[in-house]
Amino acid sequence: MLITANHIEMVLVNLGDEIIKKERIRLKFTTELSYCTEAAKKVKTFLAGESAEKTLLGIGIAIPGIVDQKERIVLKSHALGIENYSLRFLEQSIGIPVYFENDANGAMLAEKTGEYSNVIYLSLNHTLGVHSASTESCFWGRTIFSCFVCECLNQSLYFGREPSVIF
């Protein structure tokens, strides 16, 4: 599921990476609790009648911003106009195991990168996001060079600082 300022986009995928169902719904993001309950209703409606309704392993939610997965907080999102926003009520409202991720990271994970040895993914929407991967592992902001570049760009973009990368 992708959350944007004006929509949510949901894609149901089986374990073979086949898209079963896809839907984009207009739902303007707000920090009100009613947004979380409405988003949860949309998820339940989306899953209604699907075999996955009872067997779903979890939901990945991509958010345009810097996400602290451990604390379940969006640290900053220019696209949504939020800072230090808790995702816990959204998770509780949905009632299915949820994995939150930055939108660029989520998009990179959805790509089939196995045919490339190293990839840098640029997400160009209303905001710019960067993620990189290698055949050895997905770089989650903890490898020295590629994540230094990605995190530097992401932090600069989200916090309004000039990037300071020297090549």
Side-chain angles (χ1 to χ4, degrees):
M1 182 168 128
L2 171 65
I3 294 176
T4 70
N6 295 305
H7 298 89
I8 59 174
E9 190 169 324
M10 296 177 281
V11 180
L12 180 61
V13 180
N14 66 20
L15 293 176
D17 286 336
E18 298 169 319
I19 295 175
I20 306 300
K21 185 177 182 181
K22 184 176 177 179
E23 190 172 347
R24 182 178 166 106
I25 300 168
R26 183 153 183 82
L27 183 62
K28 186 165 178 54
F29 179 83
T30 70
T31 57
E32 304 292 321
L33 296 179
S34 60
Y35 175 84
C36 297
T37 54
E38 187 62 26
K41 285 181 193 174
K42 301 288 186 191
V43 169
K44 288 176 176 70
T45 301
F46 178 75
L47 293 173
E50 297 291 334
S51 61
E53 186 177 14
K54 294 176 180 61
T55 61
L56 191 66
L57 298 175
I59 296 178
I61 298 180
I63 299 171
I66 298 173
V67 177
D68 182 331
Q69 294 173 355
K70 182 180 174 194
E71 297 299 324
R72 306 287 217 224
I73 293 173
V74 178
L75 297 174
K76 180 119 175 144
S77 171
H78 289 299
L80 300 179
I82 55 176
E83 197 168 324
N84 296 319
Y85 177 78
S86 176
L87 297 165
R88 292 185 189 275
F89 189 74
L90 178 59
E91 181 176 28
Q92 291 170 356
S93 297
I94 291 174
I96 299 168
V98 176
Y99 180 81
F100 294 102
E101 187 57 83
N102 165 274
D103 60 345
N105 294 351
M108 179 68 187
L109 291 169
E111 295 294 328
K112 292 183 172 63
T113 58
E115 58 194 71
Y116 307 105
S117 59
N118 292 296
V119 179
I120 293 180
Y121 185 92
L122 294 174
S123 174
L124 303 170
N125 294 308
H126 291 11
T127 59
L128 172 67
V130 183
H131 181 76
S132 65
S134 154
T135 54
E136 298 165 12
S137 66
C138 237
F139 300 160
W140 293 104
R142 291 170 182 78
T143 58
I144 295 172
F145 179 71
S146 73
C147 246
F148 170 74
V149 172
C150 292
E151 287 304 310
C152 179
L153 288 171
N154 282 329
Q155 297 281 332
S156 297
L157 294 165
Y158 286 119
F159 291 113
R161 294 184 218 124
E162 289 292 320
S164 54
V165 179
I166 299 171
F167 296 96

